[in-house]
Amino acid sequence: MKQSNHFEGKNQQEKLDYLNALQYSIVLKKKEDKFSLIIPELSLVVLNENLDKAYSELYEQKQKLFTNMLDCEAEDEIQPPKNSRDFQDTIRQLKLFVYKLLIICVLG
């Protein structure tokens, strides 16, 4: 993954700070009296009757995941937030479109 460029030459705390700065979208659902908080990219799910407690549990799970991944030196396996991936996919698709357009113009 290209994300490894953000980790080169940094210690574990700097890597953890970078990961904590990433803005992951949280999906909130309520069923009956329980709140569900989900971070799909990280496969984290929390169920709780109290929304504040659910959010703090989710944050703790995210911290534990990041710490464990860094301890295993597997930071490249952490999925970046979807919005940053969408931007990269859009740029890639735009480049492909421009290349195809140039080929068609040259052949025409």
Side-chain angles (χ1 to χ4, degrees), residues 1 18 26 43 59 62 65 67 78-79 98 100 105:
M1 271 187 171
Y18 169 76
I26 298 174
S43 300
Y59 179 77
K62 186 173 84 165
L65 173 72
T67 303
I78 298 172
Q79 291 293 321
V98 170
K100 290 176 184 178
C105 289

Side-chain angles (χ1 to χ4, degrees), residues 1-13:
M1 271 187 171
K2 293 183 178 185
Q3 191 176 12
S4 63
N5 294 338
H6 298 289
F7 297 122
E8 289 180 18
K10 294 185 178 179
N11 64 31
Q12 186 162 346
Q13 185 59 45

Side-chain angles (χ1 to χ4, degrees), residues 3-82:
Q3 191 176 12
S4 63
N5 294 338
H6 298 289
F7 297 122
E8 289 180 18
K10 294 185 178 179
N11 64 31
Q12 186 162 346
Q13 185 59 45
E14 291 171 331
K15 292 176 185 178
L16 188 60
D17 291 341
Y18 169 76
L19 290 170
N20 285 327
L22 296 175
Q23 298 295 315
Y24 287 94
S25 296
I26 298 174
V27 177
L28 170 65
K29 295 183 179 186
K30 184 176 182 183
K31 186 174 182 179
E32 298 174 10
D33 291 341
K34 290 193 176 186
F35 292 99
S36 302
L37 294 176
I38 306 163
I39 301 178
E41 295 92 350
L42 301 176
S43 300
L44 296 177
V45 179
V46 170
L47 297 169
N48 200 312
E49 293 176 358
N50 184 320
L51 183 60
D52 291 331
K53 288 182 182 179
Y55 183 76
S56 58
E57 283 180 38
L58 186 68
Y59 179 77
E60 288 174 19
Q61 283 187 12
K62 186 173 84 165
Q63 288 295 109
K64 190 179 293 185
L65 173 72
F66 288 161
T67 303
N68 289 339
M69 294 295 276
L70 290 173
D71 287 343
C72 295
E73 296 181 1
E75 55 267 9
D76 291 343
E77 300 302 321
I78 298 172
Q79 291 293 321
K82 187 175 182 176

